[in-house]
Amino acid sequence: MNKYQPPFTIAEIGGNHKGDMEIAKEMIKVASIFCKVDAIKFQKRHNIELLTQEQYEAPHPNPVNSYGDTYGAHREFLEFDVDQHAELKSYCEEMGVIYATSVWDVTSAKEIATLEPDFIKIPSACNNHFEMLGWLCENYNGEIHASTGMTTRDEIKTIVEFFEGKNRAKDLVLYNCTSGYPVPFPDVCLLDITTLTKEYGDRVKSIGFSGHHLGIAVDVAAYTLGAHIVERHYTLDRTWKGTDHSASLEPAGMRKLARDLRAVHQALTHKETDILPIEQVQRDKLKYRK
């Protein structure tokens, strides 16, 4: 019997929709019907709350990828309001795929919680935002997923203990993650999945993997190591303007990833008998006999 949990694949759209609702819906449709993923994830920021005035008014650090004259204007251009997110959630449900969103601040957490998604994601940059985490623990009943990029082991311990103190650790999913775009293979550090599993596997709901690397081989290994939830950035065109496209999977790659994870899940078993029925035919025909 296969003791591995079935893979759960998340296509992270984030801001790769370029601020265009029609592109966002096309991405949902393609990810659901063609790629056959389990969930689609967006992002929600209240930029005035999240950024300092200096950060908001500064130029984008990579102007070629900017959708505005300032970083704040760029972020606002890519932002959907809560009504648009409600529309996207409805469209996800129509397409038979789960809707979710990463939230970066308290206002965004409160807005997205009103939509009652199955889960809300906490990005690595905000996993120490305990005001936001506390509000979600006390007011949102779904799963809370948290990435652990740019986070020390002591900080991860503090996060888990915080959720335990709120009696919500069994709704917490921890993701192994390295924050970089893209991440070179030596920096992926896949074996940290086993560390998270050993230290927190029986204390949290599950362990996941959020990858920013190239290709899909690493994701299959992550699943085999115990991260049954696999999240990858997703785009329709890796050459589009924006910082995340280059580290994203196009539809063909996302489809192959979801397909390969399902195939590996089927393969992760032990033989139930010494000679399987499929082998018996070959044994009868080919096995050496004295």
Side-chain angles (χ1 to χ4, degrees), residues 43-50 79-80 82 85 99 101-115 120 129 132 135-136:
Q43 295 188 17
K44 187 78 180 76
R45 293 172 169 89
H46 190 261
N47 295 299
I48 294 295
E49 177 180 337
L50 180 63
E79 197 66 38
F80 291 145
V82 67
H85 275 274
Y99 160 92
T101 296
S102 291
V103 296
W104 289 67
D105 51 80
V106 174
T107 298
S108 296
K110 290 180 177 180
E111 289 178 338
I112 295 301
T114 65
L115 304 181
I120 287 176
H129 192 331
M132 179 173 69
W135 189 92
L136 286 169

Side-chain angles (χ1 to χ4, degrees), residues 76-138:
E76 299 291 6
F77 185 91
L78 296 174
E79 197 66 38
F80 291 145
D81 63 30
V82 67
D83 291 332
Q84 289 173 305
H85 275 274
E87 185 177 345
L88 292 171
K89 182 174 184 283
S90 178
Y91 190 68
C92 283
E93 292 166 352
E94 182 182 336
M95 289 292 104
V97 68
I98 293 170
Y99 160 92
T101 296
S102 291
V103 296
W104 289 67
D105 51 80
V106 174
T107 298
S108 296
K110 290 180 177 180
E111 289 178 338
I112 295 301
T114 65
L115 304 181
E116 299 182 338
D118 288 1
F119 68 92
I120 287 176
K121 180 82 182 293
I122 308 300
S124 297
C126 304
N127 61 22
N128 60 342
H129 192 331
F130 291 104
E131 179 187 358
M132 179 173 69
L133 297 182
W135 189 92
L136 286 169
C137 285
E138 294 168 9

Side-chain angles (χ1 to χ4, degrees), residues 185-212:
F185 294 124
D187 291 337
V188 174
C189 303
L190 273 184
L191 293 181
D192 281 345
I193 292 170
T194 60
T195 302
L196 289 175
T197 301
K198 180 180 179 180
E199 295 184 3
Y200 305 113
D202 60 349
R203 295 168 62 183
V204 303
K205 178 156 192 176
S206 193
I207 303 298
F209 173 68
S210 179
H212 304 136

Side-chain angles (χ1 to χ4, degrees), residues 12-276:
E12 157 72 283
I13 292 178
N16 282 352
H17 48 67
K18 303 196 293 184
D20 187 316
M21 282 289 287
E22 292 308 309
I23 291 177
K25 288 183 177 180
E26 181 183 2
M27 295 181 79
I28 291 170
K29 186 175 183 179
V30 171
S32 174
I33 296 174
F34 177 73
C35 304
K36 302 184 185 305
V37 301
D38 298 289
I40 304 285
K41 191 168 72 63
F42 293 92
Q43 295 188 17
K44 187 78 180 76
R45 293 172 169 89
H46 190 261
N47 295 299
I48 294 295
E49 177 180 337
L50 180 63
L51 302 171
T52 65
Q53 183 175 352
E54 182 180 5
Q55 290 172 327
Y56 194 94
E57 295 176 353
H60 192 288
N62 191 355
V64 70
N65 285 320
S66 183
Y67 286 91
D69 292 336
T70 64
Y71 184 71
H74 162 77
R75 290 256 49 106
E76 299 291 6
F77 185 91
L78 296 174
E79 197 66 38
F80 291 145
D81 63 30
V82 67
D83 291 332
Q84 289 173 305
H85 275 274
E87 185 177 345
L88 292 171
K89 182 174 184 283
S90 178
Y91 190 68
C92 283
E93 292 166 352
E94 182 182 336
M95 289 292 104
V97 68
I98 293 170
Y99 160 92
T101 296
S102 291
V103 296
W104 289 67
D105 51 80
V106 174
T107 298
S108 296
K110 290 180 177 180
E111 289 178 338
I112 295 301
T114 65
L115 304 181
E116 299 182 338
D118 288 1
F119 68 92
I120 287 176
K121 180 82 182 293
I122 308 300
S124 297
C126 304
N127 61 22
N128 60 342
H129 192 331
F130 291 104
E131 179 187 358
M132 179 173 69
L133 297 182
W135 189 92
L136 286 169
C137 285
E138 294 168 9
N139 297 279
Y140 168 69
N141 293 323
E143 293 179 6
I144 301 173
H145 295 204
S147 278
T148 60
M150 50 182 159
T151 305
T152 69
R153 292 189 178 188
D154 284 344
E155 288 170 337
I156 295 172
K157 181 174 182 285
T158 298
I159 292 165
V160 173
E161 290 175 346
F162 179 85
F163 275 83
E164 288 175 332
K166 297 288 187 179
N167 294 316
R168 294 297 306 274
K170 289 302 182 179
D171 295 316
L172 175 64
V173 177
L174 288 178
Y175 287 66
N176 170 237
C177 178
T178 298
S179 299
Y181 305 89
V183 175
F185 294 124
D187 291 337
V188 174
C189 303
L190 273 184
L191 293 181
D192 281 345
I193 292 170
T194 60
T195 302
L196 289 175
T197 301
K198 180 180 179 180
E199 295 184 3
Y200 305 113
D202 60 349
R203 295 168 62 183
V204 303
K205 178 156 192 176
S206 193
I207 303 298
F209 173 68
S210 179
H212 304 136
H213 51 280
L214 301 178
I216 61 174
V218 166
D219 306 273
V220 173
Y223 173 71
T224 306
L225 287 169
H228 84 278
I229 299 172
V230 176
E231 173 191 80
R232 288 297 303 274
H233 282 264
Y234 156 68
T235 183
L236 296 182
D237 188 338
R238 294 181 68 245
T239 68
W240 275 352
K241 182 171 77 172
T243 54
D244 287 344
H245 294 286
S246 63
S248 301
L249 294 176
E250 291 180 338
M254 187 63 73
R255 177 185 173 94
K256 289 176 181 177
L257 172 60
R259 177 202 67 189
D260 288 358
L261 290 173
R262 290 191 296 268
V264 170
H265 175 247
Q266 291 180 309
L268 286 169
T269 60
H270 295 283
K271 284 187 175 182
E272 295 181 353
T273 62
D274 285 346
I275 307 297
L276 295 174

